[in-house]
Amino acid sequence: MQLNELTIKEAQEGLRSKKFTSVELTKVCLDRIKARNKDVNAFITVCEESALEEARVADGLLSSGQDSPLTGIPFSVKDAICTAGVRSTGSAKILDNYTPPYDATVIGKIRKQGGVLVGKNNCDAFGHGASNENSMYGPVSNPHDLSKVAGGSSGGSAAAVADNMCIYSIAEDTGGSIRQPASFCGASGFRPSYGRNSRFGIMPMASSLDTVGPITKTTYDAALVMSQIAGQDILDGTTLHDSVPNYLEKINEDLSGLRVGIPKEYFELEGLDSEVKEITAKQIDKLKELGCKVEEVSLPHTKYAIAVYYILVPCEDSSNLGRLDGIRYGVRQKGKDLYDLYAGSRATGFPEEVKRRILIGTYALSAGYYDAYYKKAQTVRTLIKRDFDEVFKKVDLLITPTSPFPAFGVGEKKDDPLALYMADVMVSPAAIAGVPALSVPSGKNSAGLPVGVQIIGSRYGEEKIFRVGSKLEIIN
Ligand code: GLN
């Protein structure tokens, strides 16, 4: 096995027992990026020199016994997350020249303990998309079949982990952007409860849904990264005050007696691929064998999730993206007057999908339409959230497919925004409700494409998700 194929747990053991150094491990990852990135396009920026320097520092920490769990482990970061001194474009040309002066809180926590940042991952611009084709730096290809998409919006992060270009990645999930690409690429993708991790330094998309979390090779690694990045942050007033549970302590506990719900609405959706359904059913059988009590449950407002999501998100988007105007940061186009400067900077700096969301959001928030769209969507959001509150009185976890279908062809849905919005049908409800969810690799379909199964937990109920994920995952 090559060093770049290791999990965090294995790399940590190897580093601590001096089987190899962080410099050696980092070099192997950088070589893999060099060999593969031209085909996969998972990275916009590669930090070759600084990564090797950080690895040398990490080796020093390891040899003097001052290491922490992520010391010396090469990781990558979605480009919509700020990294001090490293260009962060959000995959949009308006930030083509933007280098943040600070780290997002979660990234700062990793870098302070000697994590090695190998580069910044391609994504859909500012997180808008489900196929990574809305990047102004080209689409990301699925490492299992280069003619297929990697999923989105964190397609670069998922592809980089699945293709062993790094050991893990930090990404962002507003409505599925960690879980869906993880499922398409055969990685583990974890969206934490809203408020568990700080959003400070994440380029905001829809602030009431945005979360940041890990894409890893195993559930264990996701739990390990979460234990290092979670917690209250004075720079994000929505973070939870409570201390972070020890996610690794109970990860191996057996599952007997755990109550698992199968939400029938997810399986009645039109367009659910038969192999995805079969693979999910096999995972449900496995849970029964492991002693879980499985029962059918209902989340009656599931059918409204996509409509609610695609009203609320553009509304918040249209406000959040207002800061990108060519004045404060990024690329400024010349104009004959101020209006011209704004219009030119935004017209050339945003891809089509971002413009579409800004227009929809501005429309839905305008006087006369606000009550009909925004207020209505907020009301239905409460009903969707209430569905989850009710169901978690009866069961501990829910199991669903992560995506109704496996990775589709590059270009296949590009000109049909509505078809792409439907790709979020399984992942947006948990985001709307603010509850945590994990996509676990669950094998491959007959075409050799990975399929993920989603485990949804109650708010702040991350521990149980990790316990189940580590038993269900099928790594290949
Ligand atoms: N597909 C969703 C969207 O385009 C995912 C967004 C996200 O989670 N960042 O809005």
Side-chain angles (χ1 to χ4, degrees):
M1 194 189 237
Q2 304 283 328
L3 293 185
N4 56 322
E5 292 169 22
L6 299 176
T7 64
I8 300 177
K9 188 172 185 242
E10 292 161 347
Q12 198 185 57
E13 282 159 11
L15 288 169
R16 287 182 175 163
S17 61
K18 311 227 176 314
K19 281 203 193 95
F20 48 84
T21 64
S22 174
V23 168
E24 285 162 351
L25 176 61
T26 303
K27 274 190 182 152
V28 181
C29 291
L30 290 168
D31 285 347
R32 179 76 182 168
I33 296 174
K34 254 183 230 157
R36 291 283 288 174
N37 200 42
K38 56 181 184 316
D39 294 327
V40 180
N41 198 24
F43 284 86
I44 292 177
T45 302
V46 181
C47 309
E48 192 168 353
E49 267 174 44
S50 58
L52 289 171
E53 185 46 42
E54 286 167 14
R56 277 189 278 274
V57 172
D59 281 331
L61 290 170
L62 282 153
S63 58
S64 59
Q66 290 171 284
D67 54 298
S68 306
L70 297 172
T71 307
I73 315 274
F75 73 113
S76 67
V77 175
K78 182 177 187 174
D79 217 22
I81 300 177
C82 290
T83 42
V86 179
R87 182 168 79 131
S88 304
T89 68
S91 293
K93 291 286 180 184
I94 199 159
L95 292 184
D96 190 54
N97 59 0
Y98 177 59
T99 299
Y102 60 88
D103 274 323
T105 298
V106 291
I107 304 303
K109 288 187 180 184
I110 297 172
R111 291 178 99 182
K112 265 188 215 102
Q113 55 173 273
V116 176
L117 177 63
V118 291
K120 298 298 296 287
N121 292 121
N122 199 347
C123 57
D124 284 302
F126 303 122
H128 298 76
S131 65
N132 217 126
E133 294 169 287
N134 296 329
S135 163
M136 292 178 97
Y137 297 83
V140 176
S141 287
N142 193 307
H144 297 271
D145 175 348
L146 296 176
S147 72
K148 301 278 193 270
V149 300
S153 66
S154 314
S157 294
V161 172
D163 205 45
N164 299 307
M165 300 189 210
C166 56
I167 308 296
Y168 70 101
S169 186
I170 300 294
E172 165 275 338
D173 186 309
T174 300
S177 281
I178 286 180
R179 292 162 285 158
Q180 189 254 21
S183 126
F184 279 16
C185 293
S188 308
F190 183 65
R191 173 194 169 91
S193 308
Y194 184 82
R196 183 61 93 183
N197 292 348
S198 167
R199 288 176 295 113
F200 178 76
I202 313 304
M203 293 178 192
M205 181 178 164
S207 309
S208 76
L209 292 101
D210 294 346
T211 60
V212 54
I215 295 185
T216 52
K217 296 173 188 174
T218 62
T219 300
Y220 182 95
D221 280 4
L224 191 157
V225 175
M226 276 298 294
S227 68
Q228 299 304 304
I229 64 174
Q232 194 192 2
D233 178 13
I234 49 162
L235 298 172
D236 175 359
T238 62
T239 45
L240 185 71
H241 299 204
D242 302 11
S243 59
V244 180
N246 182 340
Y247 293 127
L248 297 174
E249 200 181 337
K250 292 187 186 151
I251 199 161
N252 292 324
E253 256 180 35
D254 80 275
L255 307 184
S256 57
L258 212 65
R259 297 160 307 166
V260 177
I262 312 300
K264 65 177 167 76
E265 289 79 6
Y266 285 67
F267 293 84
E268 287 164 357
L269 290 165
E270 232 175 85
L272 176 58
D273 175 271
S274 60
E275 283 188 276
V276 169
K277 201 170 173 176
E278 246 171 64
I279 287 174
T280 312
K282 270 196 202 143
Q283 293 287 47
I284 294 170
D285 286 343
K286 199 188 275 169
L287 287 175
K288 289 182 190 155
E289 282 160 28
L290 290 167
C292 295
K293 288 188 196 130
V294 177
E295 60 177 285
E296 187 179 271
V297 294
S298 171
L299 296 157
H301 297 94
T302 302
K303 55 181 175 294
Y304 302 120
I306 288 290
V308 166
Y309 179 88
Y310 279 99
I311 292 172
L312 294 182
V313 170
C315 288
E316 295 192 31
D317 255 339
S318 67
S319 161
N320 271 328
L321 293 167
R323 79 193 68 203
L324 298 168
D325 55 6
I327 303 283
R328 278 166 284 197
Y329 351 66
V331 177
R332 178 182 305 171
Q333 299 296 335
K334 289 204 178 71
K336 61 179 183 324
D337 52 26
L338 186 62
Y339 177 84
D340 222 39
L341 182 156
Y342 285 149
S345 304
R346 286 166 72 81
T348 53
F350 291 142
E352 206 165 299
E353 180 59 26
V354 172
K355 292 179 203 167
R356 183 179 296 116
R357 304 266 178 122
I358 295 172
L359 288 174
I360 295 172
T362 308
Y363 177 85
L365 286 176
S366 57
Y369 296 112
Y370 178 92
D371 280 357
Y373 295 109
Y374 184 73
K375 206 166 152 216
K376 185 69 136 307
Q378 284 292 23
T379 309
V380 183
R381 178 181 196 174
T382 306
L383 297 175
I384 293 172
K385 187 178 168 295
R386 213 174 280 163
D387 280 356
F388 281 97
D389 293 344
E390 286 304 313
V391 89
F392 284 125
K393 286 181 189 158
K394 283 189 257 161
V395 296
D396 299 296
L397 296 164
L398 299 168
I399 302 285
T400 79
T402 305
S403 163
F405 35 71
F408 45 87
V410 176
E412 198 181 308
K413 296 184 197 283
K414 196 177 179 332
D415 299 320
D416 188 351
L418 278 181
L420 213 49
Y421 295 171
M422 289 315 289
D424 301 337
V425 65
M426 306 277 182
V427 277
S428 60
I432 291 169
V435 296
L438 171 75
S439 178
V440 263
S442 298
K444 288 181 175 171
N445 70 1
S446 51
L449 291 169
V451 172
V453 164
Q454 179 175 228
I455 308 167
I456 307 175
S458 60
R459 200 159 208 189
Y460 311 125
E462 283 97 4
E463 277 175 283
K464 284 181 189 157
I465 298 183
F466 294 138
R467 263 170 70 196
V468 172
S470 60
K471 310 240 173 9
L472 284 192
E473 66 192 1
I474 301 171
I475 316 275
N476 46 20

